[in-house]
Amino acid sequence: MKLKIAFLQLLAEETMEKQLTKGIDACRKAKAQGADIALFPEMWSCGYNFPLNKEEACKLCVSLESDFVRKFAELSAELNMAIAITFLGEGLTNSVALFDRHGELIYHYSKVHTCDFAEEKILKAGEDFYVADLDTEGGVVRVGSMICFDREFPESARILTLKGAELILAPNACPMEINRLSALRTRAYENSVAVATCNYPEGQPDCNGHSTLFDGVAWLRDEPGVRDMCVFNAPGEEGIYEAELDMDLLRKYRAGEATGDTYRRPDAYSVLTSDKNYIETERLFIVPMRMKYLWSTHEYASDPENTKYMVNLPNDSFEETRGFIRYAEEEWKKADPQFFEYAILMDGHVGGISIYPDQEDKTKAELGWTVNKKYWRQGICSEAALGIIKHAREKLGIKTFIAHCDSENVASYKVMEKIGMTKIDEYGGRYNKQSPEERRECLYELKF
């Protein structure tokens, strides 16, 4: 899948009306050039030019329902192209709204790290970072945004990555010199995420163009050496520039590389995070399932051989896998989750493991696991299960663990026996998704 991004590196006009007209014309030209997404520089509605008096600045604010913003929503549907329009938002926020090719609002983000040392000291900071699925003609892409100074804080891109972002759209209004460009490169590198930044051109006060696309792929396993992640760097002049992002290349890279959140140690970051759900064993890292692992999860969850003895698998579609991961992510956000779904990481994402606490007796829980067939017979399931059991005993107070499997699933019950479980029952009534006939099911238990 190739995603075409248009960088609307434009000089600002004197009035909002002229900004609207120029912006609409630029979007039409971007679509004519084949763009899937059109990205504006920071605060396009006012050209990043506003008075330092709050009352006067408020007169330039526009809401999501304003004519200025709605025109771009309507235009995105007309052109069948996503548009990330930026504006001085209601309540004095530095905002971007992403509309998909159907004219639907995907997210509305307000700059969290406002430049309180300069003009933006009168602005209200945003409170969170947002990531959403963007439907394009080539397929769905997980997208989020940060704005200009957000770039200087690793947490911005990290949070977006942890929420599943594959692409970060970053409106900008400042000189893009070696240090700021290095920061963008680093955000892309450390998170294995693509970062598209659109700046104002030369001629705009304190700006110099150089809109960029870093694709997040630092090297290719089949090729020697490293590669330049900066796949596009615009000149300083005004223009509508287009760059192509190879989503297939990025997704393949993300599935098997060490950057991103694969080897994070949140247990050692107590001053930064309260994440207590990270588990480490001798060879494995076991982390909460996230949308980042969508493609690698679907690889094994949709494979009939991989899921031969499963009740609810294989998944029939990519969207079914997406729905499952979204459901798991939402459960992680709850104060008292009803289940915990983890990704098993070794050489990238290799499988999944889950804990389902008994809702009546919280000292009991059911375990379940699956590993990509590429990694069978390496002891991964038993190692992951023992790691989960240790964690659940210490953190959740679980004392009794159970697990079910098809009576013919030798590999599965061998794992149960290896981790110390005992078979306590076998009965009929099991129906696997790939088998219309009734099956027999084994129940194993481990008590402490």
Side-chain angles (χ1 to χ4, degrees):
M1 173 185 173
K2 303 294 176 62
L3 189 71
K4 295 182 179 179
I5 304 170
F7 300 81
L8 310 185
Q9 187 173 287
L10 307 171
L11 283 168
E13 301 293 334
E14 299 85 2
T15 66
M16 188 180 301
E17 290 73 21
K18 289 184 178 181
Q19 289 291 88
L20 177 61
T21 300
K22 187 169 186 175
I24 289 174
D25 181 61
C27 286
R28 293 190 184 282
K29 290 178 180 176
K31 178 61 180 180
Q33 293 174 202
D36 295 299
I37 304 173
L39 175 61
F40 280 90
E42 187 176 6
M43 233 188 289
W44 176 252
S45 66
C46 63
Y48 200 83
N49 181 24
F50 54 93
L52 296 183
N53 178 282
K54 284 189 176 182
E55 290 185 4
E56 291 300 313
C58 281
K59 296 177 183 179
L60 297 178
C61 290
V62 295
S63 69
L64 287 173
E65 293 73 35
S66 66
D67 183 66
F68 180 87
V69 176
R70 293 311 309 168
K71 287 289 186 182
F72 287 102
E74 294 165 3
L75 185 63
S76 63
E78 176 192 335
L79 298 178
N80 193 40
M81 177 185 72
I83 298 175
I85 180 61
T86 60
F87 51 97
L88 179 60
E90 204 171 25
L92 287 174
T93 58
N94 185 339
S95 297
V96 58
L98 178 62
F99 293 97
D100 69 11
R101 64 193 181 102
H102 310 292
E104 298 296 322
L105 178 67
I106 300 304
Y107 59 72
H108 171 209
Y109 169 68
S110 294
K111 189 175 183 178
V112 168
H113 300 101
T114 50
C115 299
D116 296 340
F117 52 84
E119 294 91 338
E120 290 185 5
K121 61 187 176 185
I122 69 167
L123 302 185
K124 178 183 178 182
E127 297 179 350
D128 200 359
F129 295 91
Y130 307 104
V131 174
D133 292 338
L134 178 65
D135 174 48
T136 73
E137 286 190 326
V140 175
V141 180
R142 197 85 168 137
V143 182
S145 278
M146 59 185 183
I147 298 176
C148 200
F149 193 46
D150 284 330
R151 163 198 63 241
E152 310 298 337
F153 299 85
E155 294 84 357
S156 305
R158 178 66 83 195
I159 290 170
L160 290 168
T161 300
L162 293 178
K163 290 186 175 184
E166 300 173 290
L167 168 64
I168 297 174
L169 300 175
N172 194 80
C174 70
M176 295 310 296
E177 39 71 47
I178 186 171
N179 296 303
R180 292 186 174 101
L181 290 172
S182 296
L184 288 172
R185 183 185 296 275
T186 301
R187 300 293 87 81
Y189 170 74
E190 66 195 0
N191 293 293
S192 296
V193 66
V195 182
T197 302
C198 184
N199 195 27
Y200 286 98
E202 294 171 350
Q204 184 81 5
D206 207 30
C207 293
N208 67 338
H210 292 286
S211 299
T212 53
L213 174 61
F214 291 88
D215 71 357
V217 181
W219 45 71
L220 300 174
R221 291 197 174 205
D222 298 331
E223 296 182 9
V226 298
R227 61 187 292 277
D228 189 352
M229 291 186 299
C230 186
V231 295
F232 171 73
N233 187 342
E237 295 81 12
E238 181 178 31
I240 298 170
Y241 300 97
E242 186 180 294
E244 188 173 78
L245 175 62
D246 189 333
M247 292 303 305
D248 294 331
L249 180 68
L250 175 59
R251 285 164 175 167
K252 181 179 179 181
Y253 178 82
R254 285 163 64 98
E257 282 308 319
T259 49
D261 69 335
T262 304
Y263 295 103
R264 291 176 68 235
R265 289 295 308 272
D267 55 321
Y269 312 153
S270 58
V271 71
L272 298 175
T273 178
S274 59
D275 186 351
K276 302 300 182 184
N277 294 302
Y278 172 94
I279 302 165
E280 182 178 0
T281 67
E282 182 178 354
R283 296 179 298 164
L284 309 175
F285 293 86
I286 304 170
V287 300
M289 178 62 76
R290 299 191 181 97
M291 199 60 70
K292 171 183 177 179
Y293 306 112
L294 173 62
W295 297 87
S296 45
T297 298
H298 189 66
E299 181 179 353
Y300 61 76
S302 63
D303 185 341
E305 182 183 2
N306 225 116
T307 59
K308 179 179 179 180
Y309 296 109
M310 309 293 276
V311 172
N312 298 312
L313 295 174
N315 286 342
D316 295 324
S317 68
F318 187 80
E319 289 308 311
E320 190 174 356
T321 305
R322 182 189 299 279
F324 166 75
I325 296 181
R326 183 179 291 115
Y327 180 49
E329 282 186 328
E330 290 303 313
E331 203 64 26
W332 275 108
K333 296 175 183 177
K334 296 179 181 178
D336 184 23
Q338 293 192 15
F339 72 96
F340 304 86
E341 186 71 30
Y342 290 89
I344 302 171
L345 311 177
M346 190 171 72
D347 297 325
H349 177 212
V350 301
I353 189 165
S354 59
I355 312 172
Y356 282 78
D358 189 302
Q359 296 306 299
E360 295 181 4
D361 183 352
K362 295 292 188 179
T363 66
K364 297 180 179 179
E366 181 174 356
L367 299 177
W369 52 76
T370 184
V371 166
N372 191 309
K373 64 186 180 185
K374 298 176 183 177
Y375 297 89
W376 285 355
R377 302 178 185 87
Q378 296 185 37
I380 292 173
C381 286
S382 56
E383 184 173 337
L386 288 171
I388 286 286
I389 288 170
K390 181 176 183 294
H391 172 82
R393 290 181 64 196
E394 296 174 353
K395 303 297 183 181
L396 304 177
I398 306 296
K399 298 179 180 179
T400 302
F401 298 86
I402 64 169
H404 297 83
C405 71
D406 187 292
S407 61
E408 294 183 17
N409 192 349
V410 178
S412 190
Y413 68 67
K414 287 294 185 182
V415 170
M416 297 175 193
E417 293 171 357
K418 185 175 181 179
I419 64 176
M421 288 185 139
T422 301
K423 182 178 176 181
I424 61 172
D425 204 356
E426 180 175 334
Y427 41 83
R430 181 184 178 94
Y431 290 89
N432 296 336
K433 190 170 183 179
Q434 296 185 69
S435 177
E437 74 270 16
E438 181 180 354
R439 311 281 297 177
R440 294 191 64 75
E441 182 168 270
C442 297
L443 173 62
Y444 280 73
E445 183 182 72
L446 176 62
K447 285 188 174 183
F448 291 91

